[in-house]
């Protein structure tokens, strides 16, 4: 699955947009920075498999609501983390899309986060969308990328 985002608060040029690709099939994650034509490749750690690390989730349908053009079941997913932390994530799951969430909402100590999915396509995307773009520079870590990019931005002494 792929997700895109923007974190433009006081970021150096080129770091304002990032595309994250998670590839559980090859156990890799990619952070792609289109403005820098660069990406970092990071291994996805293997789950330890200890049952105590898995959150407990209770699912409860709270009603039917319309989101955009979709008829959705509004679901409260209450979770309890192994350390006792509790919370709720609401999902609006479209019946027309076999239960795919078209909206998600989470309320936490820092406020409410809402994700609304638009321009949903149910076709199979090309595999190339789940690979870093050809011609982009690969870095082994975010620190290495930042250091190299910042060095390029510094004025050269003569």
């Amino acid at each position: 699955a792929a997700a895109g985002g923007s974190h433009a608060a006081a970021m150096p040029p080129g770091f304002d947009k990032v595309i994250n690709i998670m590839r559980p099939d090859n156990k890799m994650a990619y952070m792609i920075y289109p403005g820098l034509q660069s990406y970092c490749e990071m291994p996805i750690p293997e789950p330890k498999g200890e049952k105590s690390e898995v959150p407990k989730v209770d699912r409860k349908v709270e009603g039917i609501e319309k989101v955009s053009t979709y008829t959705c079941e509004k679901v409260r997913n209450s979770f309890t983390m192994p350390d006792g932390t509790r919370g709720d994530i609401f999902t609006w799951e479209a019946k027309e899309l076999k239960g795919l969430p078209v909206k998600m909402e989470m309320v936490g100590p820092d406020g409410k986060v809402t994700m609304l999915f638009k321009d949903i396509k149910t076709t199979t995307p090309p595999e190339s969308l789940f690979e870093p773009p050809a011609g982009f520079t690969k870095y082994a870590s975010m620190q290495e990328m930042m250091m190299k990019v910042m060095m390029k931005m510094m004025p050269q002494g003569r």
Side-chain angles (χ1 to χ4, degrees):
S6 178
H7 48 83
M11 296 300 291
F15 283 95
D16 59 333
K17 292 194 179 183
V18 63
I19 298 167
N20 296 303
I21 299 176
M22 301 296 288
R23 291 283 308 267
D25 60 327
N26 68 0
K27 297 180 178 62
M28 294 303 284
Y30 305 102
M31 291 180 67
I32 302 167
Y33 289 85
L36 301 173
Q37 294 196 340
S38 300
Y39 70 96
C40 297
E41 182 178 79
M42 297 163 290
I44 299 172
E46 287 287 329
K48 294 181 180 132
E50 296 176 26
K51 192 153 178 74
S52 64
E53 292 182 11
V54 179
K56 179 180 182 288
V57 179
D58 293 313
R59 177 182 156 82
K60 180 183 176 199
V61 177
E62 295 203 336
I64 304 294
E65 292 184 13
K66 197 92 165 161
V67 175
S68 191
T69 61
Y70 300 104
T71 302
C72 300
E73 283 187 332
K74 181 182 179 183
V75 179
R76 177 190 297 260
N77 301 281
S78 300
F79 62 89
T80 306
M81 301 301 286
D83 67 1
T85 305
R86 300 176 60 138
D88 292 315
I89 298 175
F90 292 92
T91 55
W92 284 260
E93 301 170 4
K95 292 180 178 188
E96 302 93 329
L97 300 174
K98 300 178 184 172
L100 178 76
V102 294
K103 180 179 174 182
M104 297 173 71
E105 191 171 272
M106 184 170 78
V107 179
D110 297 327
K112 180 167 67 171
V113 174
T114 301
M115 291 190 294
L116 180 62
F117 299 94
K118 296 181 178 185
D119 194 23
I120 298 169
K121 294 180 177 60
T122 57
T123 56
T124 302
E127 287 190 30
S128 63
L129 287 178
F130 299 94
E131 295 290 337
F136 275 37
T137 304
K138 175 182 171 181
Y139 292 96
S141 71
M142 185 66 172
Q143 292 81 2
E144 179 189 2
M145 181 190 317
M146 287 187 85
M147 195 165 73
K148 298 270 176 147
V149 169
M150 296 304 245
M151 288 177 69
K152 287 181 188 176
M153 291 178 172
M154 294 177 79
Q156 300 297 319
R158 292 181 186 207

